[in-house]
Amino acid sequence: MTHFGPLHAQHVAPSKSLNQYAFDLYGELKDANENVFLSPLSTYYALLSAYEGSKNKTKAAFEKVLYLKDSAVSNYDDLYKQETNADSLFGLKISNAIWVDKKFQVETAFKNVVSSKYSSDFKQTNFANTALAVTDINRWVSDKTNQRITDMVNPSDINSETKLMISNAVYFKGEWRTKFEKLRTAQSTFFTDNENQYKVDFMNITENLNYFENESFQFITKPYKDSDLSFCVLLPKTLYGLEAIENNLNAEFFNEILEQTVSTKVWLSIPKIKLETSYKLKSALTNMGLNAVFNNEADFSGILKNEPLTIEQVAHKTYIDINEDYTEAAAATTTNVYIRGLPSFKTFIVDHPFVFFIVDNKTKAMVFMGRYVKPQEGEKIDKAYFARNLERREIRDSGWNSGKEPLLLVADGNELKEVKIDDVDFDNIDSLRVYTKKEDIERYTNEDYYHGIGVIVITPKKNKKIKKK
């Protein structure tokens, strides 16, 4: 059995309803061996906009799926502000629109509440002219996302009977408050599953981050520049333990993790992340309980009094690009090693499938969430090397916790000097090389370090000295 304690929340976050909806939607969209990236906040507001025009059983269905009965309406004030000010947050673009056919006269009250309360656009188009409707929607999305997201919908999403559609687009490119140094980027192995390993570029940094761990997982938050957003990673401690973690995720559990984090010095190593995803949410939302809005039972008389309406589709497209503006060839041949077992120092090596979030620090609203299981730009590793890579990983992880320290050598000019772990300045490392093969180790020492972790050769940054005790 997997254990996920101890976690004890002190209060319920205002965004509990949003975040619980987020985990429900994530559960419908995740696929065992595929990446996921979505914006719960953005889709939530798109559905809230439609909710404002719903009545009777349709309204009740929205309230159940969106957990609207679980929170007082006033709890969403800060979330409304997040949506309203989205364009002013660095790197973040959130755009929603309700599209209704031009031949209909929409209720004024609905138009007013959609634009003022939820910051969604109200747009009209001629759905009977499929090509024109597709052009209208795609142009609007492209304009809203600085041309980063195009082809939001295609002709198969629309037909002559379409009367109502929700479009939803998100673009995010976050600049870190503290950037990764490009010279510390290095290629390493990402272990997707038993059948797939990839060689990818890992970014590396040592900094104080909000951190939590228990026997099952590690969790960190890394803040973005000029915004209240932070990037969070939930990393299983076992190599392929993602499913066990996912099965326990819910809003209360996530809130408890956030409350338990403390500022800790962390060595973080994480792949560059670049994802673009596109979803049609009709099936997922139907499974969650919103089937009434997509069929003849739908009651949107708050939008049109005398014309039956159903939602044809909820389209959702996302794009994220997180990197450190590195030069690709800077440290391509460097092999990384990560130090474990130090009381004041944590290592966070994101080399296997994980869940990630982008969260509003003030409200705890889940702006984005996803799973990263398969690098999109990595080089697939031949199976002949799988066993060797797993052995190296095991040696690395057992490292200092095995009771056998490696031989640490630091370059000082043209010489290599032996140092202790406490003498290493981890903020002043240009490159690390770890040697575990006996023939390599014997180039540096005659002592038997082979059954420990081997020999580590550290090159400090240029013109800086070895840290002295």
Side-chain angles (χ1 to χ4, degrees), residues 161-226:
E161 300 300 316
T162 303
K163 300 172 184 176
L164 175 66
M165 189 169 183
I166 297 173
S167 64
N168 174 266
V170 187
Y171 169 75
F172 179 68
K173 186 173 183 179
E175 182 179 349
W176 304 115
R177 184 179 299 172
T178 303
K179 292 184 178 182
F180 293 87
E181 294 183 30
K182 61 184 180 181
L183 290 178
R184 295 179 71 178
T185 294
Q187 284 193 333
S188 191
T189 303
F190 188 89
F191 299 86
T192 288
D193 52 36
N194 288 324
E195 298 296 321
N196 296 280
Q197 295 179 9
Y198 294 86
K199 185 182 294 184
V200 299
D201 286 320
F202 278 73
M203 305 180 293
N204 297 279
I205 194 170
T206 306
E207 64 175 314
N208 288 319
L209 299 171
N210 286 340
Y211 176 89
F212 173 80
E213 73 170 303
N214 61 17
E215 64 270 30
S216 301
F217 63 84
Q218 294 175 284
F219 181 88
I220 57 102
T221 73
K222 180 172 171 58
Y224 287 104
K225 180 181 178 181
D226 298 331

Side-chain angles (χ1 to χ4, degrees), residues 344-355:
S344 61
F345 193 89
K346 297 292 184 179
T347 60
F348 199 95
I349 310 163
V350 191
D351 67 351
H352 55 284
F354 60 95
V355 184

